[in-house]
Amino acid sequence: MFSKACEYGIKAAIFIAINSYENRRVSPKAIAQEINSPQAFTAKILQELVRNNIVNSVKGAYGGFEIEQTNIKNIKLSQIVKAIDGDKIYNGCGLGLEKCDETHPCPVHDKFKDIRDNLKYMLEHTSLDELAMSIQAGESFFKT
Amino acid sequence: MFSKACEYGIKAAIFIAINSYENRRVSPKAIAQEINSPQAFTAKILQELVRNNIVNSVKGAYGGFEIEQTNIKNIKLSQIVKAIDGDKIYNGCGLGLEKCDETHPCPVHDKFKDIRDNLKYMLEHTSLDELAMSIQAGESFFKT
DNA sequence: TTTATTTCGGATAATTTTATCCTATTTATA
DNA sequence: TATAAATAGGATAAAATTATCCGAAATAAA
Ligand code: FES
Ligand code: FES
């Protein structure tokens, strides 16, 4: 469904959000440990999130990654997925046609579109904030 | 969503179904041309479908791939997807946890599970027959 | 039985994704 | 200003996916 990079990116963003609520910046090392991901690869993904203005990075001593507290509620899963995996998952054809087109649909278009639209809606209506809360409440987990 | 291999596999199966209704066997070459896929790679995927008893192969002159007419209605998309991509798409965790587990869920579990279950339901209730019909009726297409 | 046809299957290559390593750059503080 | 701490980013490497090639095996028909 999502690429590994995207899975890491989502988890990393949640972890950064949690720490930003506590006014703490976090390092790629701390993130990778917490979410159980390869550190250097995770760092690359963080760069991508920074480029997309989803997280903020502060270089130098006492630096790290953070998200503006007031933004955490506004950031939606869809932004992260789009930043890392692009929007093929929202617009792409289920059978790989170059373009998903109502007027020239693939055999599964009608059925696939429903699923895809549900997914899109879900991602667009799920905020980083609520995911962070569920982790903090101990209701969900980053690793097995 | 699906791998390229799976996309080709689904399209190939539909094309074989159509031809089987007309009592014609088809070759990897004909399939690849029709569904716009690399021939040799498509042949590999066909082997996988044969191993999973989804399509039947007949070697030698006048051979080719076919599906028993009476089976076409019974074959569901889910069988093809499972044969090629496995069942990670039905059971796998959206954030890559080793195992999707209600009692130890990842942050997106609740929301992801709904989507995933919808997809599973759709795949399990979509038959090769109906997809073949929509192609034959000119209502859907294999290529752009 | 020979021949032409066709799938099967192993080996290999190309591409993409995932992952690692090392150095440059930035920045707060001493 | 010097130093230590941190992210940025380029160069590779490893692994997985996608794709190609070719000979072996099977089969129908001449
Ligand atoms: S054309 Fe294939 S999903 Fe829309
Ligand atoms: S645990 Fe992640 S989707 Fe169920």
Side-chain angles (χ1 to χ4, degrees):
Chain A
M1 186 76 85
F2 307 122
S3 68
K4 275 287 166 205
C6 193
E7 291 175 1
Y8 298 153
I10 292 171
K11 290 195 250 186
I14 296 172
F15 181 63
I16 296 169
I18 292 171
N19 280 275
S20 293
Y21 275 135
E22 316 272 345
N23 297 297
R24 279 193 305 263
R25 291 175 184 149
V26 285
S27 64
K29 186 177 176 184
I31 296 170
Q33 274 178 1
E34 187 71 16
I35 72 175
N36 199 32
S37 66
Q39 179 179 333
F41 188 47
T42 306
K44 290 278 187 241
I45 298 159
L46 289 168
Q47 287 182 41
E48 195 61 38
L49 293 180
V50 170
R51 274 192 285 273
N52 283 269
N53 300 309
I54 292 164
V55 316
N56 205 264
S57 73
V58 180
K59 283 185 185 176
Y62 294 82
F65 295 89
E66 64 183 10
I67 305 177
E68 246 182 274
Q69 284 185 16
T70 54
N71 264 342
I72 297 176
K73 270 199 170 59
N74 300 325
I75 297 173
K76 299 298 190 294
L77 226 40
S78 56
Q79 296 172 251
I80 300 173
V81 172
K82 193 168 183 175
I84 300 173
D85 281 350
D87 57 2
K88 217 192 60 185
I89 201 167
Y90 307 127
N91 308 319
C93 167
L95 294 187
L97 298 199
E98 239 169 65
K99 190 172 167 303
C100 171
D101 178 358
E102 291 281 348
T103 71
H104 191 87
C106 75
V108 304
H109 174 84
D110 287 354
K111 301 191 171 203
F112 185 77
K113 188 173 186 303
D114 285 345
I115 310 287
R116 203 186 54 190
D117 288 352
N118 283 346
L119 176 61
K120 186 178 183 188
Y121 185 91
M122 183 274 270
L123 294 174
E124 283 175 349
H125 289 78
T126 301
S127 71
L128 213 46
D129 176 70
E130 56 186 305
L131 301 178
M133 290 305 159
S134 97
I135 287 274
Q136 271 195 314
E139 291 164 8
S140 69
F141 309 87
F142 285 132
K143 35 187 175 185
T144 54
Chain B
M1 186 78 82
F2 307 121
S3 68
K4 275 285 166 206
C6 193
E7 292 175 0
Y8 298 153
I10 292 170
K11 290 195 251 188
I14 297 171
F15 181 62
I16 296 168
I18 292 170
N19 280 276
S20 293
Y21 275 135
E22 316 273 345
N23 296 298
R24 280 192 304 263
R25 291 175 185 149
V26 285
S27 66
K29 186 177 175 185
I31 295 169
Q33 273 179 0
E34 186 71 16
I35 71 174
N36 199 32
S37 67
Q39 179 179 334
F41 189 47
T42 305
K44 291 279 187 239
I45 298 158
L46 289 167
Q47 287 181 41
E48 196 61 37
L49 293 180
V50 168
R51 275 191 285 273
N52 283 269
N53 298 310
I54 293 164
V55 315
N56 204 263
S57 72
V58 180
K59 283 184 187 175
Y62 293 82
F65 295 89
E66 63 183 11
I67 305 176
E68 247 182 272
Q69 284 185 15
T70 54
N71 265 341
I72 297 176
K73 271 200 171 59
N74 300 325
I75 297 174
K76 298 299 191 293
L77 227 38
S78 56
Q79 296 172 251
I80 299 173
V81 172
K82 193 168 184 177
I84 300 174
D85 281 351
D87 56 3
K88 216 192 59 185
I89 201 166
Y90 308 127
N91 308 318
C93 167
L95 294 186
L97 299 199
E98 239 169 66
K99 191 174 165 302
C100 171
D101 178 358
E102 291 281 347
T103 71
H104 191 86
C106 75
V108 303
H109 174 84
D110 287 354
K111 302 190 171 205
F112 185 78
K113 189 173 186 301
D114 285 345
I115 310 287
R116 203 188 54 191
D117 288 352
N118 284 346
L119 176 61
K120 186 178 183 189
Y121 184 91
M122 182 275 270
L123 293 175
E124 283 176 348
H125 290 77
T126 300
S127 71
L128 213 45
D129 176 70
E130 55 185 306
L131 301 178
M133 290 305 158
S134 97
I135 288 274
Q136 271 195 315
E139 292 163 7
S140 69
F141 309 87
F142 285 133
K143 36 188 176 184
T144 55

